Amino acid sequence: MNRAGYNYILATMDMETLNLSRFRHGGVNITGFQLINRTNPGVKEFLDTWSVLEPVVWPGAGSDKVEVEAALSVDALEAFRLALEAMVGRRHDVFHSTFRRGVVYNLNKTVGIPCNTRPVLPWMHGTEIFYSLKRVDFEGLTGRVSFDSRGYRNNYKLDLFTVTMDMGPFKSGEWHSELGLRRDEKLVPRPSANGTQSKRFRIVTSILTKPFLMMRQAPGSMGLPLAGNDRFEGYCKDLADELKERLPMEYILVPVKDGMFGTELPNGSWTGIIGELRRGNDNNDINIKRDSHERQQERQENTRRDYLV
């Protein structure tokens, strides 16, 4: 299912946080949406504060990322704050008769707001709060926050993100609540001059052995399970990351299945890393090891087919 001809639409509003690196080499096309624009100055300012808060007190904080649900909650609270502030601004004593001696009154006589009366008596300020909320208009973490005459949010947008061969996720357009979908071809990265993409995808193999390549034990950010290359640590992982920064390449790290460097079998086939290279399962290996004479010869032969680190 991870090859050219397959197209997927992900029902998410946080496409940028998904680890889709392993889908960039098969040719599959993946489309999703992004609600939070993390390049927005207001979002950056919020995340600077959010990242230093104590997560025990503020669940989800202590990270440079914020969940969509949390961002929507922040914007909802800000909308209520602005609505109530506007009400007080129009009439400073609007709530004076409602809150007295720590007790909430309704219609200046009923204590509390009981929901089991027949007929139900709505709170005396409910209609005015609803009216004030509909007049709120501000730039929040989730974009423009404003409402139509019925109280539904309007004038907001979702960024359209795409993952395709050797690229992504990258912004490829927008969906606007009033204008609909708008694709922008200028946002789509172009292939390099030789007709191929600027970055090549590599499968890098190594052997799980301390301290060169090890499985990480700690959970990922926000307690989520580790995925992809983040599952590993060690010298070989660090070297692969450095090569990724210096060369036009993306990679996925796959430990060799049999845990061996490679020995030649009587039938001429090879085990270990050399065997996987010969079979085309991998196109690079990164290891700290001493080569036998036979492995050196075989590595030289494989190097003629593809570069080998």
Side-chain angles (χ1 to χ4, degrees), residues 2-3 10 15-28 30 162-170 199-204 226-232 237 241 244 249-254:
N2 183 19
R3 62 177 184 266
L10 302 185
M15 179 81 164
E16 281 187 306
T17 63
L18 301 180
N19 184 1
L20 300 172
S21 58
R22 65 180 60 190
F23 296 100
R24 288 199 293 258
H25 64 284
V28 65
I30 302 176
T162 301
V163 173
T164 186
M165 188 66 176
D166 292 343
M167 296 188 297
F170 58 86
K199 287 191 176 183
R200 299 183 64 186
F201 189 89
R202 296 285 179 178
I203 300 175
V204 176
L226 296 170
N229 297 335
D230 292 336
R231 296 173 296 161
F232 305 101
K237 170 66 164 53
D241 287 338
K244 175 186 173 182
M249 62 170 275
E250 294 285 348
Y251 79 94
I252 182 171
L253 187 55
V254 181

Side-chain angles (χ1 to χ4, degrees), residues 205 207 256-265 267-285 289 294-295 298-299 302 305 308:
T205 187
I207 293 176
V256 64
K257 295 181 178 64
D258 59 13
M260 300 175 63
F261 294 123
T263 57
E264 188 175 11
L265 300 176
N267 61 4
S269 64
W270 283 74
T271 62
I273 291 177
I274 299 298
E276 295 198 1
L277 285 169
R278 285 177 61 90
R279 291 188 293 272
N281 296 342
D282 311 301
N283 46 32
N284 290 274
D285 83 282
K289 60 181 181 285
E294 292 79 7
R295 280 201 295 265
E298 188 60 28
R299 284 166 61 90
N302 278 282
R305 296 197 301 266
L308 186 64

Side-chain angles (χ1 to χ4, degrees), residues 76 79-80 83 128-137 146-147:
F80 267 102
E128 189 174 358
I129 290 175
F130 182 55
Y131 171 77
S132 189
L133 274 171
K134 290 191 293 183
R135 300 179 65 181
V136 163
D137 191 344
S146 61
F147 303 93

Side-chain angles (χ1 to χ4, degrees), residues 24-142:
R24 288 199 293 258
H25 64 284
V28 65
N29 184 282
I30 302 176
T31 300
F33 297 94
Q34 181 67 31
L35 179 60
I36 303 173
N37 179 6
R38 291 180 171 82
T39 64
N40 182 285
V43 175
K44 287 183 176 180
E45 182 179 354
F46 173 85
L47 291 177
D48 287 342
T49 303
W50 182 253
S51 62
V52 298
L53 293 178
E54 177 55 54
V56 175
V57 180
W58 303 89
S63 168
D64 60 353
K65 296 181 177 63
V66 60
E67 298 284 343
V68 169
E69 292 81 1
L72 288 169
S73 298
V74 170
D75 285 351
L77 289 173
E78 179 65 6
F80 267 102
R81 186 191 70 81
L82 292 174
L84 296 177
E85 186 179 79
M87 290 174 60
V88 174
R90 290 191 293 269
R91 198 172 86 240
H92 72 277
D93 61 347
V94 61
F95 294 115
H96 282 190
S97 62
T98 307
F99 300 98
R100 300 197 300 271
R101 298 176 182 176
V103 179
V104 178
Y105 288 86
N106 190 24
L107 299 176
N108 299 329
K109 55 184 179 180
T110 305
V111 177
I113 311 173
C115 300
N116 56 356
T117 60
R118 294 293 182 272
V120 175
L121 292 177
W123 195 32
M124 57 187 295
H125 299 296
T127 301
E128 189 174 358
I129 290 175
F130 182 55
Y131 171 77
S132 189
L133 274 171
K134 290 191 293 183
R135 300 179 65 181
V136 163
D137 191 344
F138 67 97
E139 191 70 25
L141 297 181
T142 59

